[in-house]
Amino acid sequence: MSAAESSTPDIKIFDDPEEVARAAATRIVEIADAATRTRGAFSIALAGGSTPKRVYQLLASDAYRDRVAWAAVHIFFGDERSVPPDHADSNYRMANEAMLRHVPIPLPNVHRIDGVGDVAANAALYEDELRGYFGGETSWPHFDLVMLGMGDDGHTASLFPGTTALNEQRAWVVSNWVEKFDTFRITLTAPAINAAAHVLFMVTGAGKTERLPEVISGSHDPERLPSQLIRPSHGSLEWYVDRAAAKQLKDEE
């Protein structure tokens, strides 16, 4: 059975982006609690973007912060831009300002992607770091949770339409040339994401209205709609979307 056939998405629709963020924060707490109780650790790959930023702010707030065993949390990143960690476009900087510096997580437990210098070398170094954490002999990393967003063009992480990373079947992390931005990105590959126990998409806004039903239930065309590549092989796939994004979904009421 292929990854594309093995997981049925669980689609939850909320009134607005704030409700999406609160539901996602609650779900993260649930998965983190289950992982730490079972194995003593919780691994999560973070997403960039405005909706995830609000999730991180919530997790660092009084309402959520004490519900997470931060000493057992290991933070990874789904992708990164070719910028320094203090740059305004850095996914690490966003997560750090919104959450990481406000919670008692040990510094060694934050595994950021280096966006400066040779992108291919940095991608290889990040894969080495992942292998060091998950075990070098495993075929793929087994994140407890991968958080994802979806762009208006159907991309997710830094898996953009028509890019070479979409066809990667062996590497966990690659550098990916993105023509529309005239730059390289570093990203987890689709098979690495699909090995996670849980994958959570967060999609908000009217700009996603037309693309969302194409990705979820349209013809399989991942070269044009890379988010279609995300079908966890043995884990859960959840979509948390607001009503603006969900207007054209068949099941929306």
Side-chain angles (χ1 to χ4, degrees), residues 53-67:
K53 179 179 180 179
R54 180 58 183 147
V55 176
Y56 308 151
Q57 291 172 336
L58 288 169
L59 289 171
S61 71
D62 291 343
Y64 289 88
R65 185 174 53 246
D66 293 340
R67 297 167 61 187

Side-chain angles (χ1 to χ4, degrees), residues 198-247:
H198 302 276
V199 176
L200 176 57
F201 271 96
M202 293 162 291
V203 182
T204 61
K208 316 293 174 64
T209 301
E210 293 186 10
R211 198 68 68 216
L212 187 61
E214 284 191 279
V215 168
I216 291 178
S217 57
S219 300
H220 191 61
D221 186 7
E223 281 290 319
R224 185 174 70 89
L225 302 168
S227 291
Q228 290 184 335
L229 290 171
I230 309 306
R231 296 291 186 269
S233 51
H234 300 289
S236 70
L237 175 61
E238 298 174 75
W239 289 81
Y240 283 22
V241 303
D242 71 352
R243 293 206 177 276
K247 278 184 179 178

Side-chain angles (χ1 to χ4, degrees), residues 28 32 35-36 39-46 68-77 99-100 104-112 126 129-130 132-134 142-146:
I28 291 166
T36 53
R39 297 183 294 97
F42 169 63
S43 59
I44 179 171
L46 302 184
V68 177
W70 292 102
V73 175
H74 281 261
I75 299 287
F76 297 89
F77 291 82
M99 177 178 67
L100 299 177
I105 187 169
L107 186 60
N109 290 17
V110 178
H111 309 267
R112 73 173 183 87
Y126 202 60
E129 184 156 357
L130 290 175
Y133 178 80
F134 289 105
H142 298 292
F143 292 103
D144 292 303
L145 174 62
V146 176

Side-chain angles (χ1 to χ4, degrees), residues 48-218:
S50 58
T51 303
K53 179 179 180 179
R54 180 58 183 147
V55 176
Y56 308 151
Q57 291 172 336
L58 288 169
L59 289 171
S61 71
D62 291 343
Y64 289 88
R65 185 174 53 246
D66 293 340
R67 297 167 61 187
V68 177
W70 292 102
V73 175
H74 281 261
I75 299 287
F76 297 89
F77 291 82
D79 69 321
E80 187 55 275
R81 286 85 178 273
S82 296
V83 295
D86 59 352
H87 192 280
D89 292 337
S90 166
N91 287 339
Y92 165 78
R93 174 179 167 173
M94 183 272 281
N96 186 52
E97 291 183 348
M99 177 178 67
L100 299 177
R101 69 184 186 185
H102 304 293
V103 298
I105 187 169
L107 186 60
N109 290 17
V110 178
H111 309 267
R112 73 173 183 87
I113 300 172
D114 189 351
V116 178
D118 187 316
V119 289
N122 288 342
L125 285 171
Y126 202 60
E127 178 162 334
D128 287 345
E129 184 156 357
L130 290 175
R131 288 183 178 276
Y133 178 80
F134 289 105
E137 300 304 315
T138 187
S139 298
W140 297 105
H142 298 292
F143 292 103
D144 292 303
L145 174 62
V146 176
M147 297 176 63
L148 294 173
M150 187 194 77
D152 294 359
D153 59 358
H155 86 269
T156 192
S158 281
L159 301 170
F160 283 85
T163 57
T164 58
L166 303 184
N167 300 309
E168 181 58 54
Q169 294 298 317
R170 298 187 65 182
W172 297 11
V173 185
V174 295
S175 58
N176 196 29
W177 175 256
V178 183
E179 186 69 31
K180 68 185 291 185
F181 298 125
D182 192 32
T183 188
F184 279 99
R185 298 277 187 92
I186 296 174
T187 186
L188 292 178
T189 61
I193 295 169
N194 285 332
H198 302 276
V199 176
L200 176 57
F201 271 96
M202 293 162 291
V203 182
T204 61
K208 316 293 174 64
T209 301
E210 293 186 10
R211 198 68 68 216
L212 187 61
E214 284 191 279
V215 168
I216 291 178
S217 57

